[in-house]
């Protein structure tokens, strides 16, 4: 499967069912977790997506020798998905739904770490600053969650210098509007 294969609910539902079956059969691989996470994220089911991406990361951590044999983009997607679903859970104040002993701030710190890993991977594989910001733009939402308006604005400026992206504009608008009304 690849990301294009997951367009539409029917394909995602099939991918989720196949991933669940693979896991129940004891398949020891990152793939089922990754593709389930991608589908759950696309369906707006952040908690389930997060659990799947977390399982993919846990698999990678338990099998470091295998990580070197996987395509870099798959590993990057696991880190990216882990970070973005955790940000979504933080924004909805649902972190405790998946991690009972984790505060929202701890979740945002972990999400930022994972997004930076994914952004570094994009840059290292030759995507340069443009590839980096496709992932790093999500960090702006962490700054919003933290109500760190100056940092959110600085981050969006950095992203916008590389490439104008819609989510980045959303973060910039929220931060600028808040700063304006606080003045």
């Amino acid at each position: 499967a690849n990301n294009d294969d997951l367009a539409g609910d029917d394909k995602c539902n099939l991918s989720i069912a196949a991933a669940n079956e693979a896991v129940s059969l004891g398949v020891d691989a990152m793939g089922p977790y990754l593709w389930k996470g991608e589908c759950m994220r696309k369906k707006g089911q952040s908690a389930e997506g997060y659990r799947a991406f977390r399982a993919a990361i846990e698999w990678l951590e338990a099998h470091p020798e295998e990580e070197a044999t996987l395509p870099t983009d798959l590993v990057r997607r696991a880190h990216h998905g882990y970070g973005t679903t955790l940000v979504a859970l933080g924004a909805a104040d649902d972190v405790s739904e998946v991690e009972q002993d984790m505060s929202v701030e701890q979740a945002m710190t972990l999400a930022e770490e994972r997004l930076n890993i994914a952004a570094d991977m994009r840059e290292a594989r030759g995507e340069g600053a443009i590839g980096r910001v496709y992932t790093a733009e999500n960090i702006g939402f962490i700054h919003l969650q933290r109500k760190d308006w100056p940092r959110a604005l600085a981050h969006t400026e950095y992203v916008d210098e590389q490439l104008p992206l819609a989510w980045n504009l959303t973060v910039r608008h929220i931060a600028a509007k808040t700063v304006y009304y606080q003045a």
Side-chain angles (χ1 to χ4, degrees), residues 112 115-116 119 122 128-143 150-172:
E112 188 171 7
L115 288 168
N116 277 318
R122 288 187 102 143
I130 300 292
R132 177 176 197 75
V133 299
Y134 271 118
T135 291
E137 77 167 319
N138 292 285
I139 294 170
F141 288 105
I142 295 169
H143 300 314
R151 197 160 175 211
L153 289 169
H155 182 77
T156 60
E157 185 176 342
Y158 156 74
V159 170
D160 207 40
E161 286 171 358
Q162 307 304 315
L163 185 69
L165 296 167
W167 285 119
N168 191 59
L169 180 58
T170 302
V171 170
R172 190 165 186 79

Side-chain angles (χ1 to χ4, degrees), residues 12-34:
C12 254
N13 290 337
L14 287 171
S15 292
I16 291 166
N20 288 339
E21 184 175 355
V23 170
S24 73
L25 293 172
V27 172
D28 187 26
M30 179 192 75
Y33 303 115
L34 175 66

